Amino acid sequence: MCRRFWLISAYSFAHFLVDFACAFLVFRNILQAPDKHFCVLLYNFCAFAMQMPLGILADKWNRNAGLAIFGCLLVSVAYGFVSLPIVATVVVGMGNALFHIGGGVDVLNVSEKKLGALGVFVSPGALGIYFGAMLGKGNEVSSFPILLALVGVAGVIFVAHKMQGGGYPKNAVFSLEGVFSSKILFAVACLFLVVCLRSYVGLRLSFPWKGVGYWGVIWVCAVVLGKTAGGFLADRFGMRGTLFFSLGVAALLFLFPQTPLLGVMAVLLFNMTMPITLFGMAKLFPGAKGFSFGLLTFALFLGFVPVHLGQGPLTAAWPFALAAALSLVLLALGLRNLKA
């Protein structure tokens, strides 16, 4: 148990740092390129859509920590290509994808039938993106400490992995057998659509008070806490009970966008289902956890595309309430035959 704690802690800290480094590079350098719109699309394709084929590689190769470590190092290497924005974009995006696949599959393996560890792993990314973007917009922060930290955290993952010894859970033998039945495909479609919707809504969500005072920091902390709490609550009360509570209440709270506290609570509750969705998809693909992880990140990419093509922020309340309610229905249908 102690060894698993250190492995999950190492991956969680690395998740924060990798997403911080990626956001910092994107905002400091890539967004200054003449073809920045293409670069942003390319980065998101490499970082999210490419996790699906890389997930199959992870499933078959069974070297998850190696992929995660290589991803950390690749993100650091991308800083050496800032004079070539397209190259830097591809390198940093692929590094991001490799880390997430390697770390995600490892955490799924060691967490076994529990969701708490998965929530802990996925949650720091939002914090990394927020602060990486914030500091990347200025010029007063050097990138050198970030590079040292990336190399250091790669070493920490290596040590934490070695601490597992011979009892370290390995990948299941790669197999897609049984996943093409109508029941499984329907469940997969439901979970896939939930993540598309979550990505789209998250990118368009905008409340008038979000940029006032400390509410931006409180907002991102609510995202982090929601993802973390969702895993532990699902372990305690079950996936269905957690999703009905979180999304049901979130749908109601989204109807009051002018009240900051209610809006923050809605965001917290809306994000509770992220570890549930990841866990549920992995259960549908017991012989291809990496592919299942990548399938959902591909859904994130699809949710990003229409926003990138010009759909601006939404301030009306009802679309977000509707999105929460629709997510509840889709998750309930997708998970009805699964048990945490």
Side-chain angles (χ1 to χ4, degrees):
M1 180 64 70
C2 181
R3 291 182 297 180
R4 292 183 181 183
F5 168 81
W6 287 114
L7 184 71
I8 293 166
S9 298
Y11 275 128
S12 300
F13 176 69
H15 191 183
F16 165 81
L17 188 59
V18 166
D19 280 8
F20 178 96
C22 290
F24 186 90
L25 181 64
V26 168
F27 280 84
R28 171 65 64 86
N29 300 106
I30 292 175
L31 285 180
Q32 311 310 315
D35 46 0
K36 62 181 180 181
H37 293 292
F38 171 73
C39 285
V40 169
L41 181 64
L42 182 61
Y43 169 76
N44 280 276
F45 176 82
C46 292
F48 298 105
M50 284 301 296
Q51 287 190 49
M52 188 164 57
L54 289 173
I56 298 176
L57 172 65
D59 289 326
K60 291 186 174 183
W61 193 36
N62 203 15
R63 297 290 188 275
N64 306 318
L67 290 176
I69 290 169
F70 183 56
C72 292
L73 298 178
L74 205 56
V75 170
S76 66
V77 167
Y79 279 74
F81 293 99
V82 291
S83 61
L84 302 170
I86 292 180
V87 176
T89 297
V90 173
V91 174
V92 76
M94 292 301 294
N96 184 304
L98 285 166
F99 167 78
H100 282 81
I101 281 294
V105 176
D106 254 359
V107 173
L108 281 167
N109 283 341
V110 300
S111 60
E112 296 177 344
K113 296 182 179 180
K114 298 293 185 180
L115 285 79
L118 190 56
V120 170
F121 169 68
V122 299
S123 58
L127 209 59
I129 292 171
Y130 179 84
F131 286 108
M134 182 176 68
L135 294 177
K137 292 175 183 178
N139 294 313
E140 65 277 5
V141 178
S142 169
S143 61
F144 184 68
I146 301 174
L147 305 185
L148 287 180
L150 284 168
V151 174
V153 81
V156 170
I157 294 172
F158 178 79
V159 172
H161 179 267
K162 289 300 181 182
M163 286 174 61
Q164 300 299 308
Y168 182 74
K170 301 297 183 181
N171 294 355
V173 176
F174 178 76
S175 174
L176 294 175
E177 184 178 355
V179 302
F180 297 107
S181 69
S182 58
K183 181 189 296 186
I184 297 297
L185 289 177
F186 176 76
V188 169
C190 288
L191 300 186
F192 188 86
L193 289 173
V194 165
V195 176
C196 284
L197 189 60
R198 183 187 298 136
S199 173
Y200 179 74
V201 168
L203 290 169
R204 297 198 68 190
L205 188 60
S206 179
F207 291 154
W209 43 264
K210 188 178 175 182
V212 178
Y214 293 100
W215 282 111
V217 178
I218 296 171
W219 175 286
V220 73
C221 287
V223 174
V224 173
L225 182 59
K227 293 175 181 179
T228 303
F232 289 109
L233 289 175
D235 288 336
R236 177 65 179 85
F237 300 105
M239 293 190 295
R240 289 176 64 85
T242 302
L243 74 91
F244 272 96
F245 166 75
S246 62
L247 292 177
V249 178
L252 293 175
L253 295 181
F254 271 132
L255 295 174
F256 305 96
Q258 301 302 321
T259 306
L261 183 59
L262 296 183
V264 166
M265 288 300 300
V267 170
L268 187 151
L269 291 164
F270 188 68
N271 280 277
M272 279 187 180
T273 58
M274 184 172 184
I276 296 174
T277 311
L278 289 169
F279 181 85
M281 188 67 90
K283 293 284 283 185
L284 294 171
F285 291 88
K289 292 178 181 177
F291 175 72
S292 74
F293 198 98
L295 191 61
L296 291 182
T297 59
F298 183 72
L300 287 175
F301 174 72
L302 292 183
F304 153 81
V305 170
V307 180
H308 179 72
L309 294 179
Q311 294 193 8
L314 276 174
T315 55
W318 67 266
F320 304 118
L322 179 62
L326 183 57
S327 295
L328 192 159
V329 173
L330 289 170
L331 269 174
L333 292 173
L335 299 174
R336 59 183 173 179
N337 295 317
L338 296 178
K339 295 182 180 180

